[in-house]
Amino acid sequence: LCHKADLSTPDSQGVTPLDLVQTSVMQCRNGQLRLGTLPGDADVRLQQLLQEVTAMPTKSILVLEGREVRSATFSGMGNDMVAFSTESSVGLYNVPQKRVLFMKKLKQEPLVSTVQHVAVNPEVGALAVCLELSPATGSFANGEQRECRTVFIVWPNGSLEHEEPLKLSMQVSRPEHALARHSCVLLSRTADAQLLVGRLMDGKVFCWRLDRARSRLVCESTVTTDGGLVAM
C-alpha cells in the first residue's frame, strides 16, 4: 500500500487494497487455527490490524536503529511534541515534521547511567527525568554495600538543547534484590506552582516545590520512607 492511498479504489479485477488485506489476514488466521498455533488474543489483534488499515489512526512512527525506545509521552497541550527515552538518553520528536528534534545522552563517567522514568507537565512543557547512576558491575568487593545515586533532572520548559536544567541528586544504598523498587519521577500537571515527586529504589519518597519559573527549589519534604506505588 502506498502512503495515503485510496483503499477503496479497485484494480482491474474489482479487488480493492482493503479486500486484499482482509483476505490475507483471514488466510493467516485460518492457517494458524488449523495448526493449533492461534494465540488467545488473535481476534483482538485482527481487529487492531484492520482498524489500522481502514481508519489509519497512526500519525507517525519513529524507529531508532540499535536503541530501544522505553517510554514516550506527549509533552505539550498541542499533541505535536513527544518526549521519549531510551536506556541512557532523552529526546524530543516532532509529530507534524516526523523527525527527532534533539536527543540528549545522559551519562556520567565512569558510572553506569540508566534513565528509569520520564514525566511531563503539558500545561507548561516542563520535562523531568529520573536518572539512576551506579558503579559498573564487578567494581564491588565481597560484602561491600552498593552505593548508588538517583538524579532528578528538570528542564523548566522542555527545551533539552537550550535550557540549563535543575538537578536534584540523592545518595541511596541499593537494597536487596527482593526489596528493590524502580525509582521514578512525577510532575504536577498544572500551570501553578510546580510540584516534583520522586521515589528512590529504597522506597523513600520526596516532594519538592519549585518556583514559578521551575528553575529553583523552594522547599523539600519527605512523604514516606517506605513507599510503594506512587501517583499524583
Side-chain angles (χ1 to χ4, degrees), residues 67-68 70 85-90 103-107 113-115 131:
R67 285 174 287 185
E68 176 188 359
R70 304 180 67 176
S85 67
T86 65
E87 185 178 18
S88 59
S89 304
V90 62
M103 279 194 70
K104 190 173 187 66
K105 190 170 183 63
L106 305 174
K107 191 174 182 180
S113 305
T114 305
V115 177
L131 183 68

Side-chain angles (χ1 to χ4, degrees), residues 62 64 84 91-94 97-103:
L62 167 64
L64 296 177
F84 67 92
L92 291 174
Y93 180 77
N94 187 295
Q97 297 180 19
K98 293 181 171 56
R99 69 183 184 94
V100 176
L101 295 184
F102 189 76
M103 279 194 70

